[in-house]
Amino acid sequence: MRLNLRRVQPGALFGSFMGILDIKLGCEIVLLFGLINKVAGVYGLITVLVGGTFVQFLFYAYSVVTLFAFLWALGVIKSETAHKTLLVAHLYTADHVIQSVFHYLFYYHYWFVEAHDGKRILNSQAQKDIVELAASRGEITPLSGTEGQKVDEIQAQLAQQIWSDEKGYALGLIIFGFLLKVYFMTILYSYAAHLRSSTYHTLSYTTHANGSSTGGVRNTTVVSSADDDDRELANAEAEVARLTDEANGSASGNGSGHGKAKAREGRKSDDDDFNWE
């Protein structure tokens, strides 16, 4: 039996992110949080140097590999492609399942394997060497005998009391984180469903976001067009003034020309009058 993920197409349960943001922006926030979590896996790889369990190393190596998948997923969300966004939702769900398995192993070890007796835990041979070196220098004095036993009992009692007080709070955080990841999964599937049905741009928060961005562009366009009109009006007024000046100049030039011609005719007639021949 072959599983075809393309046929797994859940419908849209949400039209916004947390009821306050555009669902596309919410998907980007979800992937950015996951990306930050994956980056922490790079630092976790130092367990190879300082010591650690094989499960820890495997978990951090998995985080580093999936880091590039989350970078690709961010580009897919921005491209608004329906089938690729659905694939991103499937990958995010698979990542949640795999991480839940690792988290269960860690929680089980911390809940039932750890003694919670207040003793210092040495996680590697390097830490053991440091403690032995400090003891050889006299920097720490290990207790022995009855006094040491009493101190160990007091530490164990206090550690158990602290663990009993924090156990419920820790369990609540685990459940909250799990349910939050489930909500993130439904957000991704809802975004993919809206893209598939071409209803994404009709959502209220999406329309509001697009309206705000286009409104800013529209205002800028109105201001720029008003400036263009003012410049055109100023140029037209300058052109009219220039033509008026040219017309006045030509008229005055013609008048002076006629005056000079009449003066020459007058002088000619006077010369004729004084000509006695």
Side-chain angles (χ1 to χ4, degrees), residues 6-245:
R6 292 185 178 180
R7 295 183 179 179
V8 182
Q9 298 179 353
L13 297 179
F14 300 99
S16 63
F17 182 70
M18 298 290 185
I20 56 175
L21 293 176
D22 173 32
I23 191 170
K24 176 183 176 181
L25 179 60
C27 292
E28 293 177 355
I29 293 174
V30 168
L31 293 179
L32 284 174
F33 272 114
L35 190 62
I36 294 174
N37 191 17
K38 299 299 181 182
V39 171
V42 178
Y43 298 97
L45 287 178
I46 62 175
T47 55
V48 179
L49 303 177
V50 300
T53 63
F54 175 74
V55 177
Q56 287 178 330
F57 172 74
L58 188 62
F59 174 72
Y60 293 134
Y62 167 78
S63 298
V64 173
V65 172
T66 52
L67 171 66
F68 301 98
F70 271 68
L71 289 173
W72 169 80
L74 276 173
V76 171
I77 294 299
K78 294 180 180 179
S79 65
E80 299 184 7
T81 307
H83 66 281
K84 289 185 178 180
T85 303
L86 181 61
L87 179 60
V88 168
H90 290 330
L91 292 177
Y92 188 85
T93 302
D95 177 75
H96 176 55
V97 173
I98 295 173
Q99 281 196 335
S100 297
V101 173
F102 280 110
H103 291 165
Y104 171 77
L105 296 176
F106 298 148
Y107 299 152
Y108 180 84
H109 182 270
Y110 191 76
W111 233 268
F112 302 105
V113 178
E114 291 289 341
H116 299 288
D117 54 1
K119 292 182 179 180
R120 181 175 298 176
I121 300 175
L122 302 178
N123 296 314
S124 65
Q125 184 62 39
Q127 293 180 355
K128 294 179 181 179
D129 295 338
I130 292 174
V131 172
E132 292 176 358
L133 179 61
S136 64
R137 293 178 177 178
E139 297 175 357
I140 59 175
T141 304
L143 299 177
S144 60
T146 307
E147 184 180 0
Q149 185 177 0
K150 289 182 179 180
V151 171
D152 292 340
E153 291 177 357
I154 294 174
Q155 286 181 347
Q157 184 179 1
L158 292 175
Q160 286 293 333
Q161 182 179 355
I162 294 173
W163 172 237
S164 299
D165 295 338
E166 294 183 351
K167 187 183 298 184
Y169 177 73
L171 182 61
L173 284 180
I174 293 172
I175 296 175
F176 174 76
F178 183 86
L179 295 178
L180 185 63
K181 292 290 288 291
V182 172
Y183 173 73
F184 288 166
M185 289 160 46
T186 57
I187 287 293
L188 289 170
Y189 278 117
S190 298
Y191 177 56
H194 284 299
L195 291 178
R196 186 173 62 252
S197 59
S198 300
T199 58
Y200 165 64
H201 290 282
T202 62
L203 300 176
S204 58
Y205 285 94
T206 303
T207 306
H208 177 71
N210 293 336
S212 300
S213 59
T214 55
V217 175
R218 189 181 301 111
N219 293 334
T220 305
T221 305
V222 170
V223 172
S224 61
S225 61
D227 294 338
D228 294 338
D229 293 340
D230 293 338
R231 284 194 294 269
E232 291 179 0
L233 181 60
N235 293 334
E237 291 177 351
E239 184 67 19
V240 171
R242 186 181 64 80
L243 294 176
T244 303
D245 293 339

